[in-house]
Amino acid sequence: MSNLQNPPALNSTSHLDFWDNALGVFSRELSPQQFKTWIQPLRLLSFEESDRSLTVGAPNRFKLDWIKKTFADRFQEIASQYFGTPINVSFVLAQEASSPTTTPQTNREAESGVMLAIPDSESGISVEEQSFEIEDHSKLNPNLTFETFVTGKANQLARAASIQVAHNPGTSYNPMFLYGGVGLGKTHLIHAIGNHLLKEKPNARIRYIHAEQYVSDVVRAYQQKAFDRFKRYYHSLDLLLIDDIQFFSGKSRTQEEFFYAFEALLSNKSQVIITSDTYPKEMAGIDDRLISRFDSGLTVAIEPPELEMRVAILMKKAAGEGIAISEDVAFFVAKHLRSNVRELEGALRKILAFVRFHGRDVTIDVAKTALKDLLTIQNRQISVENIQKVVADFYSIKVADMYSKKRPANIARPRQIAMFMAKELTQKSLPEIGELFGGRDHTTVLHAVRKIADERAHDSQLNHEIHVIEQTLKA
Ligand code: ADP
Ligand code: MG
């Protein structure tokens, strides 16, 4: 199985940014006293992107009730506005919510063996209220199915394996380990497996859980001395879908717990499905015996979607929203946004919001305007090396001539154009650009930038050439 060429960054931190943003809004809207009393003690416990739900923890029953009554709607509004899509915010009692840190930190403390449990008499909460909550439902998002999953070369293997496992859970490939970059459809596929099984066997005990949530559950079981229940629950499932297992990195207590769950499930012939951002052997901070278990079933990759698939996804999603977009527009968007499906969805949401707001039809120009910000971010990713290569190609000279000391006009001029474009299209400084052009002085670069900018204003031929090169770079 080939692995990904560009391993993406870990999980986005948008939910943490959101939290900062929400706190900011409340601090402006409320008096300092109110803010300190009600909002500050709250903690963001989890964010499940798959079902667009946020869970916020309150430190005690009293505050919980008050928050629900007074601030729940406002939270909902802020979250939905922030993410540009309806978000379901729920509030729970969470003892760790009163600690000064956010959940990941809390986990780390528990990982290092510090017991966080506060005696009930001290916290003023009865055992029943704070009891370790085991979800009685699967947590599956019913919209993430095989039917809504668009197939292409990049994911056909992963999809085929998933269908196979959905039909023969526990027998064909166990565990199934699905890996790939952010936003490529891993979460979607494993929900699809769960939904399929749920339809065939409504009584099957299925659980989808994000690895981060599993870590929190271990911590909570720890605090509340509820490991027996924790074990009973996880060891008795028919299908466990555990998402983004790279979050187990460095969490040895969680890994140990998971190891037992894993062994128990496999010996019961229950299916385990795991996703990760990379393939097992490449995972850091994970115990070797877990890694070898992960790799003992079927390991399958999901790759970034190719152009045609991106177009198909856009058109299908737009149609699902009740707005038809032409193939032209879909190609335009798909050509510019190449990394993953989530990004495509984000772009589509922007376009749809724009046309609904302005009452326009979806044209390429409209898409360009609606995506202005996204597209400039993409532009910034153009590298000097890339510019050198494309410019050299365009003028039929060697890339090496970009850094050579040669000065014939047929080389010097493309080189100047490349320097000019490096200044225009990247964030690099003049000295950095000079360095990348064979260690030239920054004044040489400045001269080139001025000269080409000046000529371009009068020379429509040059202007056109630069335009074409730019299009090539951005395509
Ligand atoms: P990952 O878990 O790999 O980061 P997700 O499964 O969350 O990615 O996918 C991101 C978004 O893109 C989701 O809304 C998902 O429904 C959508 N998506 C991903 N791949 C496809 C696909 N092949 N067809 C339709 N939608 C997809
Ligand atoms: Mg995911």
Side-chain angles (χ1 to χ4, degrees), residues 69-131:
K69 226 168 41 213
T70 319
F71 298 114
D73 289 349
R74 188 65 187 125
F75 258 109
Q76 196 99 19
E77 263 171 36
I78 295 171
S80 304
Q81 237 164 33
Y82 185 84
F83 289 102
T85 180
I87 299 281
N88 185 23
V89 184
S90 49
F91 296 87
V92 299
L93 202 56
Q95 198 170 39
E96 65 265 47
S98 59
S99 84
T101 51
T102 49
T103 1
Q105 217 114 27
T106 312
N107 295 339
R108 232 172 286 138
E109 285 172 37
E111 283 297 329
S112 63
V114 182
M115 291 291 278
L116 293 170
I118 301 165
D120 301 324
S121 54
E122 267 176 46
S123 62
I125 304 164
S126 78
V127 174
E128 202 177 25
E129 277 174 323
Q130 60 165 323
S131 70

Coordinates of all heavy atoms in Angstrom, one line a residue, residues 69-131:
K69 N -30.2 27.2 31.1 CA -31.3 28.1 31.0 C -31.0 29.4 30.3 O -31.7 30.0 29.6 CB -31.9 28.3 32.4 CG -33.4 28.1 32.5 CD -33.9 28.0 33.9 CE -33.3 28.9 34.9 NZ -33.3 28.3 36.2
T70 N -29.8 29.9 30.7 CA -29.5 31.3 30.4 C -28.6 31.5 29.1 O -28.8 32.4 28.4 CB -28.8 31.9 31.6 OG1 -29.4 31.5 32.7 CG2 -28.9 33.5 31.5
F71 N -27.6 30.6 29.0 CA -26.7 30.9 27.9 C -26.6 29.9 26.8 O -25.9 30.0 25.8 CB -25.3 31.0 28.5 CG -25.1 32.1 29.5 CD1 -24.9 31.8 30.9 CD2 -25.2 33.4 29.1 CE1 -24.7 32.8 31.8 CE2 -25.1 34.4 30.1 CZ -24.8 34.1 31.4
A72 N -27.4 28.8 26.9 CA -27.3 27.7 25.9 C -27.6 28.3 24.5 O -26.8 28.0 23.6 CB -28.3 26.6 26.2
D73 N -28.6 29.0 24.3 CA -29.0 29.5 23.0 C -27.9 30.4 22.4 O -27.5 30.3 21.2 CB -30.3 30.3 23.0 CG -31.5 29.5 23.3 OD1 -31.3 28.2 23.2 OD2 -32.6 30.0 23.6
R74 N -27.3 31.2 23.3 CA -26.3 32.1 22.8 C -25.0 31.3 22.3 O -24.4 31.6 21.3 CB -25.9 33.1 23.9 CG -25.0 34.2 23.5 CD -25.6 35.1 22.4 NE -24.6 36.1 21.9 CZ -24.3 36.2 20.6 NH1 -25.0 35.5 19.7 NH2 -23.4 37.1 20.2
F75 N -24.7 30.3 23.1 CA -23.6 29.4 22.7 C -23.8 28.8 21.3 O -23.0 28.7 20.5 CB -23.4 28.3 23.8 CG -22.3 28.5 24.7 CD1 -22.5 28.8 26.0 CD2 -21.0 28.4 24.3 CE1 -21.5 29.1 26.9 CE2 -19.9 28.7 25.2 CZ -20.2 29.0 26.5
Q76 N -25.0 28.3 21.2 CA -25.4 27.7 19.9 C -25.2 28.7 18.8 O -24.7 28.3 17.7 CB -26.9 27.3 20.1 CG -27.4 26.3 19.0 CD -27.4 25.0 19.7 OE1 -27.5 24.8 20.9 NE2 -27.5 23.9 18.8
E77 N -25.7 29.9 19.0 CA -25.6 30.9 18.0 C -24.1 31.2 17.6 O -23.7 31.2 16.4 CB -26.2 32.2 18.5 CG -27.6 32.5 18.0 CD -28.1 33.7 18.8 OE1 -27.3 34.7 19.0 OE2 -29.3 33.7 19.2
I78 N -23.3 31.4 18.7 CA -21.9 31.7 18.4 C -21.2 30.6 17.7 O -20.5 30.8 16.7 CB -21.2 32.0 19.8 CG1 -21.8 33.3 20.4 CG2 -19.7 32.2 19.6 CD1 -21.3 33.5 21.9
A79 N -21.5 29.4 18.1 CA -20.8 28.2 17.5 C -21.3 28.1 16.0 O -20.4 27.9 15.1 CB -21.1 27.0 18.2
S80 N -22.5 28.2 15.8 CA -23.0 28.1 14.4 C -22.5 29.2 13.5 O -22.1 28.9 12.4 CB -24.6 28.1 14.4 OG -25.0 27.1 15.3
Q81 N -22.4 30.4 14.1 CA -21.9 31.4 13.3 C -20.4 31.2 13.0 O -19.9 31.3 11.9 CB -22.0 32.7 14.1 CG -22.7 33.8 13.3 CD -23.1 34.9 14.3 OE1 -22.4 35.2 15.3 NE2 -24.3 35.5 14.1
Y82 N -19.7 30.8 14.0 CA -18.2 30.6 13.9 C -17.9 29.5 12.8 O -17.0 29.7 12.0 CB -17.6 30.2 15.2 CG -16.1 30.1 15.2 CD1 -15.4 31.2 15.3 CD2 -15.5 28.9 15.0 CE1 -14.0 31.2 15.3 CE2 -14.1 28.8 14.9 CZ -13.4 30.0 15.1 OH -12.0 29.9 15.0
F83 N -18.6 28.4 12.9 CA -18.3 27.3 12.0 C -19.1 27.4 10.7 O -18.9 26.6 9.8 CB -18.6 26.0 12.6 CG -17.6 25.6 13.7 CD1 -17.9 25.8 15.1 CD2 -16.3 25.2 13.4 CE1 -17.0 25.5 16.1 CE2 -15.4 24.9 14.4 CZ -15.8 25.1 15.8
G84 N -20.0 28.3 10.6 CA -20.8 28.5 9.3 C -21.7 27.4 9.1 O -22.1 27.1 7.9
T85 N -22.1 26.6 10.1 CA -23.0 25.5 9.9 C -23.7 25.3 11.3 O -23.1 25.6 12.3 CB -22.2 24.3 9.4 OG1 -23.1 23.2 9.3 CG2 -21.2 23.9 10.4
P86 N -24.9 24.8 11.3 CA -25.5 24.6 12.6 C -24.7 23.6 13.5 O -24.3 22.5 13.0 CB -26.9 23.9 12.2 CG -27.1 24.3 10.8 CD -25.8 24.4 10.2
I87 N -24.5 24.0 14.7 CA -23.7 23.2 15.6 C -24.6 22.9 16.8 O -25.3 23.8 17.3 CB -22.4 24.0 16.1 CG1 -21.5 24.4 14.9 CG2 -21.7 23.2 17.2 CD1 -20.6 23.3 14.4
N88 N -24.5 21.7 17.2 CA -25.3 21.3 18.4 C -24.4 21.4 19.6 O -23.5 20.6 19.8 CB -25.8 19.9 18.1 CG -26.7 19.4 19.2 OD1 -27.4 20.3 19.9 ND2 -26.8 18.1 19.3
V89 N -24.8 22.3 20.5 CA -24.0 22.5 21.7 C -24.7 21.8 22.9 O -25.8 22.1 23.2 CB -23.7 24.0 22.0 CG1 -22.8 24.1 23.2 CG2 -23.1 24.7 20.8
S90 N -24.0 20.9 23.6 CA -24.7 20.3 24.7 C -23.8 20.6 26.0 O -22.6 20.8 25.9 CB -24.9 18.9 24.5 OG -23.8 18.2 24.1
F91 N -24.5 20.6 27.1 CA -23.8 20.9 28.4 C -23.9 19.7 29.3 O -25.0 19.1 29.4 CB -24.5 22.2 29.0 CG -24.3 23.4 28.1 CD1 -25.2 23.7 27.1 CD2 -23.2 24.2 28.3 CE1 -25.1 24.8 26.3 CE2 -23.1 25.3 27.5 CZ -24.0 25.6 26.5
V92 N -22.8 19.4 29.9 CA -22.8 18.3 30.8 C -22.1 18.7 32.1 O -21.3 19.7 32.1 CB -22.1 17.1 30.2 CG1 -22.8 16.6 29.0 CG2 -20.6 17.4 29.9
L93 N -22.3 17.8 33.1 CA -21.6 18.0 34.3 C -20.2 17.4 34.1 O -20.0 16.3 33.7 CB -22.3 17.3 35.4 CG -22.1 17.7 36.8 CD1 -22.5 19.1 37.0 CD2 -23.0 16.8 37.7
A94 N -19.2 18.2 34.5 CA -17.8 17.7 34.3 C -17.0 18.2 35.4 O -16.7 19.3 35.5 CB -17.3 18.1 32.9
Q95 N -16.5 17.2 36.2 CA -15.8 17.6 37.3 C -14.5 18.3 36.9 O -14.1 19.3 37.5 CB -15.5 16.4 38.2 CG -15.1 16.9 39.6 CD -15.0 15.7 40.5 OE1 -14.5 14.6 40.1 NE2 -15.4 15.8 41.7
E96 N -13.9 17.8 35.9 CA -12.6 18.3 35.5 C -12.7 19.7 34.9 O -11.8 20.4 34.8 CB -11.8 17.4 34.6 CG -12.4 17.2 33.2 CD -13.3 16.0 33.2 OE1 -14.1 15.8 34.2 OE2 -13.1 15.2 32.3
A97 N -14.0 20.1 34.7 CA -14.2 21.4 34.1 C -13.8 22.5 35.0 O -13.5 23.6 34.6 CB -15.7 21.6 33.8
S98 N -13.7 22.2 36.3 CA -13.3 23.3 37.2 C -11.8 23.4 37.4 O -11.3 24.3 38.0 CB -14.0 23.0 38.6 OG -13.5 21.8 39.1
S99 N -11.1 22.5 36.8 CA -9.6 22.6 36.9 C -9.2 23.7 35.9 O -9.9 24.0 35.0 CB -9.0 21.3 36.5 OG -8.9 21.2 35.1
P100 N -8.1 24.3 36.2 CA -7.7 25.5 35.4 C -7.2 25.1 34.0 O -7.0 26.0 33.2 CB -6.5 26.1 36.2 CG -6.0 24.9 37.0 CD -7.1 24.0 37.3
T101 N -7.1 23.9 33.7 CA -6.6 23.5 32.3 C -7.7 22.9 31.5 O -8.8 22.6 32.0 CB -5.5 22.5 32.4 OG1 -6.0 21.4 33.2 CG2 -4.3 23.0 33.1
T102 N -7.5 22.8 30.2 CA -8.5 22.2 29.3 C -8.3 20.7 29.3 O -7.3 20.2 29.9 CB -8.3 22.7 27.9 OG1 -6.9 22.6 27.6 CG2 -8.8 24.1 27.8
T103 N -9.1 19.9 28.7 CA -9.1 18.5 28.8 C -7.7 17.8 28.5 O -7.3 17.0 29.2 CB -10.2 17.8 28.0 OG1 -10.9 18.8 27.3 CG2 -11.0 16.9 28.8
P104 N -7.1 18.2 27.4 CA -5.9 17.5 27.0 C -4.9 17.5 28.2 O -4.2 16.5 28.5 CB -5.3 18.2 25.8 CG -6.5 18.9 25.2 CD -7.5 19.2 26.4
Q105 N -4.8 18.6 28.8 CA -3.9 18.7 29.9 C -4.3 17.8 31.1 O -3.4 17.2 31.7 CB -3.9 20.2 30.5 CG -2.5 20.7 30.9 CD -2.1 21.8 30.0 OE1 -2.9 22.5 29.4 NE2 -0.8 21.9 29.8
T106 N -5.6 17.8 31.3 CA -6.1 17.0 32.4 C -5.7 15.5 32.1 O -5.3 14.8 33.0 CB -7.6 17.1 32.4 OG1 -7.9 18.4 32.4 CG2 -8.2 16.4 33.7
N107 N -5.8 15.2 30.8 CA -5.4 13.8 30.5 C -4.0 13.5 30.8 O -3.6 12.5 31.3 CB -5.6 13.6 29.0 CG -7.1 13.7 28.7 OD1 -7.9 13.6 29.5 ND2 -7.4 14.0 27.4
R108 N -3.2 14.5 30.5 CA -1.8 14.3 30.7 C -1.5 14.1 32.2 O -0.6 13.3 32.5 CB -1.0 15.6 30.2 CG 0.1 15.2 29.2 CD 0.7 16.4 28.6 NE -0.1 16.9 27.5 CZ -0.3 18.2 27.4 NH1 0.3 19.1 28.2 NH2 -1.0 18.7 26.5
E109 N -2.2 14.8 33.0 CA -1.9 14.6 34.4 C -2.3 13.2 34.8 O -1.5 12.6 35.5 CB -2.8 15.6 35.2 CG -2.2 17.0 35.2 CD -3.2 18.0 35.8 OE1 -3.8 17.7 36.8 OE2 -3.3 19.1 35.3
A110 N -3.4 12.8 34.3 CA -3.8 11.4 34.7 C -2.8 10.4 34.1 O -2.5 9.4 34.8 CB -5.2 11.1 34.2
E111 N -2.3 10.7 33.0 CA -1.4 9.9 32.3 C -0.1 9.7 33.2 O 0.5 8.7 33.3 CB -1.0 10.4 31.0 CG -2.0 10.2 29.9 CD -2.2 8.7 29.6 OE1 -1.3 7.9 29.8 OE2 -3.3 8.3 29.3
S112 N 0.2 10.8 33.8 CA 1.5 10.7 34.6 C 1.2 10.1 36.0 O 2.0 10.1 36.8 CB 2.1 12.1 34.7 OG 1.2 13.0 35.4
G113 N 0.0 9.7 36.1 CA -0.3 8.9 37.3 C -0.9 9.8 38.5 O -1.2 9.3 39.5
V114 N -1.2 11.1 38.2 CA -1.7 11.9 39.3 C -3.2 11.6 39.3 O -3.9 11.8 38.3 CB -1.5 13.4 39.0 CG1 -2.1 14.2 40.1 CG2 0.0 13.6 38.8
M115 N -3.7 11.3 40.5 CA -5.2 11.1 40.6 C -5.9 12.4 40.7 O -5.5 13.2 41.6 CB -5.5 10.2 41.8 CG -5.0 8.8 41.6 SD -6.0 7.9 40.4 CE -7.4 7.5 41.4
L116 N -6.9 12.6 39.9 CA -7.5 13.9 40.0 C -8.8 13.9 40.8 O -9.4 14.9 41.0 CB -7.9 14.4 38.5 CG -6.6 14.7 37.7 CD1 -7.0 14.9 36.3 CD2 -6.0 15.9 38.3
A117 N -9.2 12.7 41.1 CA -10.5 12.6 41.8 C -10.5 13.5 43.1 O -9.6 13.5 43.9 CB -10.8 11.2 42.2
I118 N -11.6 14.2 43.2 CA -11.8 15.1 44.3 C -12.8 14.4 45.2 O -13.8 13.9 44.7 CB -12.3 16.4 43.9 CG1 -11.3 17.1 42.9 CG2 -12.6 17.3 45.1 CD1 -11.9 18.3 42.2
P119 N -12.6 14.2 46.5 CA -13.6 13.6 47.3 C -15.0 14.2 47.1 O -15.1 15.4 47.0 CB -13.1 13.8 48.7 CG -11.6 14.1 48.6 CD -11.5 14.7 47.3
D120 N -16.0 13.4 47.1 CA -17.3 13.9 46.9 C -17.7 15.0 47.9 O -18.4 15.9 47.5 CB -18.3 12.8 46.9 CG -18.0 11.7 45.9 OD1 -17.5 12.1 44.8 OD2 -18.2 10.5 46.2
S121 N -17.3 14.8 49.1 CA -17.7 15.8 50.1 C -17.1 17.1 49.7 O -17.7 18.2 50.0 CB -17.2 15.3 51.5 OG -15.8 15.1 51.4
E122 N -16.0 17.1 49.1 CA -15.3 18.4 48.8 C -16.0 19.1 47.6 O -16.2 20.2 47.5 CB -13.8 18.2 48.4 CG -13.0 18.4 49.6 CD -11.5 18.1 49.2 OE1 -11.1 18.5 48.2 OE2 -10.9 17.4 50.0
S123 N -16.3 18.2 46.6 CA -16.8 18.8 45.4 C -18.3 19.1 45.5 O -18.9 19.9 44.7 CB -16.6 17.9 44.2 OG -17.3 16.7 44.4
G124 N -18.9 18.5 46.5 CA -20.4 18.8 46.7 C -21.3 18.2 45.6 O -22.4 18.5 45.5
I125 N -20.7 17.2 44.9 CA -21.5 16.5 43.9 C -21.7 15.1 44.3 O -20.8 14.4 44.8 CB -20.8 16.6 42.6 CG1 -20.5 18.0 42.2 CG2 -21.6 15.9 41.5 CD1 -19.4 18.1 41.1
S126 N -22.9 14.6 44.2 CA -23.1 13.2 44.6 C -22.5 12.3 43.5 O -22.3 12.7 42.4 CB -24.6 12.9 44.7 OG -25.2 12.8 43.4
V127 N -22.2 11.1 44.0 CA -21.6 10.2 43.1 C -22.5 9.9 41.8 O -22.0 9.8 40.7 CB -21.3 8.8 43.8 CG1 -20.8 7.8 42.8 CG2 -20.3 9.0 44.9
E128 N -23.7 9.9 42.1 CA -24.6 9.6 41.0 C -24.5 10.7 39.9 O -24.5 10.3 38.7 CB -26.1 9.6 41.5 CG -27.0 8.8 40.6 CD -28.4 8.7 41.3 OE1 -28.7 9.6 42.0 OE2 -29.1 7.8 41.0
E129 N -24.5 11.9 40.3 CA -24.5 13.0 39.3 C -23.2 12.9 38.4 O -23.3 13.2 37.3 CB -24.5 14.3 40.0 CG -25.9 14.7 40.4 CD -25.9 16.0 41.2 OE1 -25.0 16.2 42.1 OE2 -26.8 16.8 41.0
Q130 N -22.1 12.7 39.1 CA -20.9 12.7 38.3 C -20.5 11.4 37.7 O -19.4 11.2 37.2 CB -19.7 13.2 39.2 CG -19.5 12.3 40.4 CD -18.2 12.6 41.0 OE1 -17.2 12.9 40.4 NE2 -18.2 12.5 42.3
S131 N -21.4 10.4 37.9 CA -21.0 9.0 37.5 C -20.6 8.9 36.1 O -21.0 9.6 35.2 CB -22.2 8.1 37.8 OG -23.2 8.3 36.8

